[in-house]
């Protein structure tokens, strides 16, 4: 015979203060877990969505990032002439050969602080390859002019990067003539300018990378096989989405590991809180336990009853923790991308899966914190419990 669940629910309301304090501790653990997972998820999402499955990216063989890559213009012309590459209506290859460098800028909020930003020299085809990039203020840069367009998060964070302002890099002053967005992708954390104007400023003669639109996404393997087998080229070819996903993996894993370490420490405190609450509940209801045993409830039913009470308590904390973390969804932040040591702006992204993980974690805390008090209650003898004061 099972103990009615309403008995446990009523006890939670009777012991309001203890219930609230224990649930609050569990809520903090869940909130930190959800925020950590949302941080890692936001960073990974920003980079993964930067690439497209129908684009391929070419970098120097063995390079881990565009910044560390470099190959000759002749190599770029050979690759983009391949049969796997789509063509524009004017007959040009649907490809953008680009110069990518990292340069240091001062923060707008604190001029004494600075961070690296990616500067990309490209041409008009880059906007066709990446239709998510859209000028929202001002206009595009002109070919041959010392002009640049800046991702919106960079314009807000770095001095001199706002519309109409002048920013200095490559020993030259560049006028910011446009602000662009890119649907939250990593391109929003970049500065773009005319490739042929920008390359000499950084003493670059070749290209850092080349992005190609495939005439058929299924030809990615054929392109990779043909290009990487050509001894003249010495480059790597990857699908663009896979390339950016790989760049996000290391830092996302580190964020998750550090966050989980913090959560484990806090969880230990929350478990002790649950243990204390449930032991107190068992101690205060010793006579009730004796009565239940005398009425025929089995020790197993007593154990399950108190364990469920602990799980209900932790579930309240789990729901509170998820609600506590929800307002951070969509809030912008930034960190350094370890693959090229540049600033990446992104948003916290809380998904249903992350909320479910936080809630399940609270239930685990409830089971761990409630098991031993529940076992203690189940081991009581009816006659001894009835005599207890």
């Amino acid at each position: 015979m099972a103990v009615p669940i309403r008995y446990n629910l009523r006890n939670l309301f009777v012991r309001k203060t203890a219930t609230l304090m224990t649930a609050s501790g569990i809520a903090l653990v869940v909130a930190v877990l959800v925020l950590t997972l949302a941080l890692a998820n936001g960073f990974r999402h920003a980079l993964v969505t930067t690439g497209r499955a129908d684009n391929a990216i070419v970098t120097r063989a063995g390079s881990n990032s565009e910044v560390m890559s470099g190959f000759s213009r002749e190599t770029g012309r050979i690759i983009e002439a391949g049969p796997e590459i789509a063509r524009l209506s004017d007959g040009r290859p649907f490809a953008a050969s680009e110069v990518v460098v990292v340069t240091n800028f001062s923060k707008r909020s604190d001029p004494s602080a600075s961070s690296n930003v990616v500067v990309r020299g490209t041409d008009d085809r880059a906007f066709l390859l990446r239709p998510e990039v859209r000028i929202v203020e001002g206009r595009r840069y002109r070919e041959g002019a010392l002009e640049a367009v800046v991702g919106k998060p960079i314009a807000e964070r770095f001095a001199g990067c706002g519309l109409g302002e002048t920013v200095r890099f490559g020993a030259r002053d560049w006028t910011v003539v446009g602000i662009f967005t890119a649907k939250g992708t990593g391109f929003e954390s970049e500065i773009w300018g005319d490739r042929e104007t920008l390359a000499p400023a950084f003493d670059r003669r070749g290209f850092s990378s080349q992005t190609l639109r495939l005439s058929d996404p299924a030809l990615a393997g054929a392109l990779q096989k043909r290009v990487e087998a050509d001894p003249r080229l010495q480059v790597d070819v990857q699908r663009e989405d896979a390339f950016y996903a790989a760049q996000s993996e290391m830092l996302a894993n580190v964020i998750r590991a550090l966050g989980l370490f913090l959560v484990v420490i806090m969880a230990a405190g929350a478990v002790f809180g649950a243990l204390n609450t449930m032991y107190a509940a068992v101690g205060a209801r010793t006579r009730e336990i004796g009565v239940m045993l005398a009425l025929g409830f089995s020790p197993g039913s007593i154990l399950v009853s108190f364990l469920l009470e602990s799980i209900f308590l932790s579930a309240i904390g789990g729901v509170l923790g998820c609600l506590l973390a929800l307002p951070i969804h969509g809030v912008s932040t930034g960190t350094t991308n370890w693959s090229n040591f540049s600033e990446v702006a992104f948003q916290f992204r809380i998904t249903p899966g992350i909320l479910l993980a936080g809630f399940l974690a609270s239930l685990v805390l409830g089971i761990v914190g409630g098991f031993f008090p529940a076992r203690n209650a189940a081991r009581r003898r009816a006659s001894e419990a009835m005599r207890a004061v």
Side-chain angles (χ1 to χ4, degrees), residues 71-257:
F71 51 84
S72 68
R73 294 185 175 233
E74 179 61 21
T75 296
R77 283 191 286 271
I78 292 173
I79 296 171
E80 67 181 17
E84 304 89 354
I85 312 307
R87 298 279 161 178
L88 294 169
S89 57
D90 59 5
R92 291 185 299 166
F94 200 168
S97 301
E98 300 177 319
V99 174
V100 183
V101 297
V102 169
T103 190
N104 193 265
F105 294 106
S106 297
K107 295 285 185 68
R108 192 180 290 279
S109 58
D110 181 6
S112 63
S114 63
S115 186
N116 291 331
V117 175
V118 168
V119 177
R120 184 180 297 271
T122 187
D123 61 27
D124 61 313
R125 287 174 288 184
F127 291 92
L128 301 175
L129 281 165
R130 299 149 183 155
E132 68 274 18
V133 175
R134 191 166 59 90
I135 301 292
V136 294
E137 293 181 66
R139 57 172 175 80
R140 291 186 187 180
Y141 56 81
R142 294 174 299 177
E143 292 184 7
L146 294 177
E147 296 178 345
V149 294
V150 178
K152 191 173 182 179
I154 300 301
E156 295 170 349
R157 290 166 179 267
F158 290 89
C161 292
L163 183 64
E165 295 180 324
T166 299
V167 60
R168 186 171 182 80
F169 57 86
R172 300 179 185 181
D173 293 324
W174 304 74
T175 302
V176 178
V177 297
I179 305 296
F180 67 86
T181 60
K183 294 185 176 179
T185 66
F187 293 124
E188 283 189 358
S189 301
E190 298 184 354
I191 296 174
W192 287 16
D194 175 47
R195 181 188 65 206
E196 300 307 328
T197 307
L198 189 144
F202 288 95
D203 196 25
R204 300 295 179 96
R205 299 179 180 178
F207 302 134
S208 302
S209 65
Q210 187 177 55
T211 302
L212 310 156
R213 174 64 53 82
L214 299 167
S215 56
D216 182 345
L219 294 175
L223 172 66
Q224 181 181 27
K225 185 176 180 180
R226 178 179 65 80
V227 171
E228 294 185 359
D230 191 330
R232 299 172 297 170
L233 305 180
Q234 298 296 308
V235 295
D236 289 333
V237 179
Q238 300 179 60
R239 262 182 27 187
E240 193 184 31
D241 55 349
F243 174 79
Y244 284 108
Q247 290 210 329
S248 72
E249 210 56 39
M250 179 184 295
L251 183 55
N253 287 338
V254 170
I255 292 173
R256 281 191 285 264

Side-chain angles (χ1 to χ4, degrees), residues 53-76:
D54 56 352
N55 282 350
I57 185 167
V58 178
T59 55
R60 186 186 66 196
S63 298
N64 295 324
S65 69
E66 292 174 276
V67 174
M68 299 174 66
S69 170
F71 51 84
S72 68
R73 294 185 175 233
E74 179 61 21
T75 296

Side-chain angles (χ1 to χ4, degrees), residues 25-26 29 261-273 361 365:
I26 293 174
V29 175
F261 176 71
L262 179 62
V263 166
V264 167
I265 294 175
M266 293 181 67
V271 166
F272 279 114
L365 294 179

Side-chain angles (χ1 to χ4, degrees), residues 274-338:
L275 280 168
N276 184 57
T277 299
M278 293 309 299
Y279 270 125
V282 171
R285 289 143 65 189
T286 302
R287 279 194 169 184
E288 294 178 16
I289 294 170
V291 171
M292 285 190 288
L293 290 170
L295 290 174
F297 290 101
S298 66
S301 298
I302 302 294
L303 185 146
V304 171
S305 174
F306 277 88
L307 193 56
L308 283 176
E309 188 169 316
S310 177
I311 292 173
F312 291 151
L313 176 62
S314 62
I316 294 172
V319 172
L320 289 176
C322 290
L323 293 176
L324 194 63
L326 269 181
I328 202 71
H329 177 73
V331 172
S332 296
T333 185
T335 189
T336 299
N337 183 359
W338 288 4

